[in-house]
Amino acid sequence: MLNTAPAAPLRRPAALMPVVTTGILPTDAATVIRQHFVPILGPVAGHSRARITRLSEPGLIRPIVAQVDVRLGHHGVRAQVAAATMSEVVGLLATRTIEQLQLFPTALARCLRERPATSPPPWPPELRPPHDRRLARHKNCRLTTMTVGEAIAMLETMDYRFHLFRERYSGQDSVVVRAGSGSRRILQPVPNPIGIDLGSPPLVLAAAPRSSVAAARARLDLTGAPFEVFTDKAIGRACVLYARYDGHYGILRPTGAARRSA
């Protein structure tokens, strides 16, 4: 559990909690979200926002995707789920938000602070049949320089499946992912243990295999995995090809030239 106490946010009426809805949803979807989340978020509800989207792609089993972002001083906390119906998505999102905010327990109502986690992490997005998938999004990002510990904290608080960053001491492109049993895996183009404590939490340092985007996509077509971390042969950088909630693929790439490891 993170011990950092969030700075007290400026107050504004919880009824103003922004809720953005997209796609075909019940007309009272935003009202239902506010009714459920204002008691959970309390004074920070007015400094939180929610997004509910019904995806239009046919054949999806869980077409409703919901996300809550909570701002706690300098910290952000996010929860995201997908479900088949509006009532299901509200329940799953409420449970996941409570679990995420236990990282900052003072942001929860007292009766919720010691509530044990009752659900596994959200399921990854479902994929369409391989012949129907396309590379729907190319996202280039400027990597933030941080330690592995900071990257793990970002992975957890933002409910990410993976987090791409520049490791502070080696200067390497790095991706942190969950590896089961509370451990984390760090993948780099050329694994460099400088500045990385492999003991707490348990970490595995591994190479991100060199691959073309086409080969990485072929592996996801074959395995149905939620993402593939690889070193793009064309640019020499760590990239992630990942499943989107619409059943297609996206790719995350760093911008700029690769740095030589220390």
Side-chain angles (χ1 to χ4, degrees), residues 15-96:
L16 296 181
M17 176 184 175
V19 179
V20 177
T21 61
T22 305
I24 301 174
L25 291 165
T27 56
D28 63 346
T31 299
V32 169
I33 289 295
R34 291 190 184 99
Q35 288 175 342
H36 278 77
F37 283 85
V38 166
I40 293 172
L41 300 174
V44 300
H47 295 270
S48 306
R49 61 182 180 179
R51 180 184 298 274
I52 312 293
T53 301
R54 186 179 186 94
L55 300 169
S56 60
E57 282 71 16
L60 291 176
I61 298 173
R62 295 175 288 133
I64 303 178
V65 180
Q67 177 179 310
V68 166
D69 289 277
V70 182
R71 176 54 56 182
L72 302 171
H74 300 297
H75 299 282
V77 177
R78 189 180 79 160
Q80 182 168 268
V81 299
T85 65
M86 185 66 192
S87 60
E88 184 183 6
V89 85
V90 170
L92 289 174
L93 188 61
T95 297
R96 189 62 181 165

Side-chain angles (χ1 to χ4, degrees), residues 175 186-191 206-211 229-232 237-239:
V175 182
I186 308 295
L187 296 106
Q188 298 177 333
V190 181
R210 289 179 60 82
S211 173
V229 180
F230 65 101
T231 302
D232 189 343
R237 306 296 300 273
C239 301

Side-chain angles (χ1 to χ4, degrees), residues 132-161:
D132 284 341
R133 301 172 199 166
R134 57 186 172 82
L135 190 50
R137 187 182 188 192
H138 296 257
K139 183 177 180 180
N140 297 320
C141 64
R142 185 174 297 278
L143 300 190
T144 301
T145 298
M146 59 179 62
T147 66
V148 167
E150 290 168 336
I152 291 173
M154 182 70 72
L155 178 82
E156 300 300 337
T157 58
M158 298 306 290
D159 218 8
Y160 292 154
R161 287 173 282 157

Side-chain angles (χ1 to χ4, degrees), residues 164 172-175 186-191 206-216 219 228-241 251-254 258-259:
L164 175 60
Q172 287 239 34
D173 295 347
S174 303
V175 182
I186 308 295
L187 296 106
Q188 298 177 333
V190 181
R210 289 179 60 82
S211 173
S212 66
V213 174
R219 284 193 295 275
E228 176 82 11
V229 180
F230 65 101
T231 302
D232 189 343
K233 289 181 178 179
I235 60 175
R237 306 296 300 273
C239 301
V240 186
L241 185 70
I251 189 167
L252 181 64
R253 289 189 177 102
R259 290 189 176 184

